Amino acid sequence: MERTSHTLTFGFPRMNKEVGERRDFLPPLIHAIAGLGCPVSVETGIGSGMGYVDDDYVRVGVDVVDERTAYEQDVVVVLRAPVKRFEYLRPGATLLSMLHFPTRPARVGHLERLSLRAISLDSIVDDEGQRMVVNGKAV
């Protein structure tokens, strides 16, 4: 059986739930991922709540794309769960987000029906069992 190599593509869509949203992934992190040889696409306007413009991301070597294209990558990373956009991901894609599996069983079932691989950022813990990704202001 012949094996083909495939470089994972990464998509970083914007969060859209709250007006005036300021949280996003900054150019240095995006650059670090692209520096590993992975094609990275960010949605136009990402980082705008913190004063970044699309050219800040282009300068670090990534593509600035529309929302749908950001969601069509192999791995999609968005901090807040993209509840009304799960269907934008293609079957077999991996979603990294705050998904809150223990308190959202219907969401888990929905992601399974869409054939998505999902990693809940809020479920990642350190060696002492403490959450590593947390919104301390809201928790």
Side-chain angles (χ1 to χ4, degrees), residues 32-128:
I33 294 168
L36 297 172
C38 299
V40 177
S41 298
V42 299
E43 182 182 345
T44 187
I46 193 170
S48 60
M50 294 173 286
Y52 290 94
V53 296
D54 289 348
D55 282 345
D56 294 321
Y57 292 88
V58 171
R59 277 194 285 283
V60 299
V62 302
D63 295 323
V64 176
V65 299
D66 61 73
E67 179 183 43
R68 285 287 188 149
T69 302
Y71 276 104
E72 291 171 350
Q73 305 310 308
D74 298 319
V75 179
V76 175
V77 184
V78 59
L79 191 57
R80 182 182 292 277
V83 173
K84 296 186 179 185
R85 291 168 172 81
F86 291 139
E87 285 76 11
Y88 292 2
L89 285 95
R90 58 176 179 68
T94 300
L95 172 64
L96 281 88
S97 188
M98 299 292 275
L99 297 167
H100 305 284
F101 291 152
T103 58
R104 306 288 196 294
R107 177 180 293 165
V108 172
H110 187 62
L111 295 170
E112 288 174 348
R113 284 188 296 282
L114 292 171
S115 298
L116 298 175
R117 297 178 181 125
I119 298 170
S120 184
L121 294 173
D122 50 281
S123 296
I124 300 172
V125 297
D126 65 14
D127 291 341
E128 283 80 43

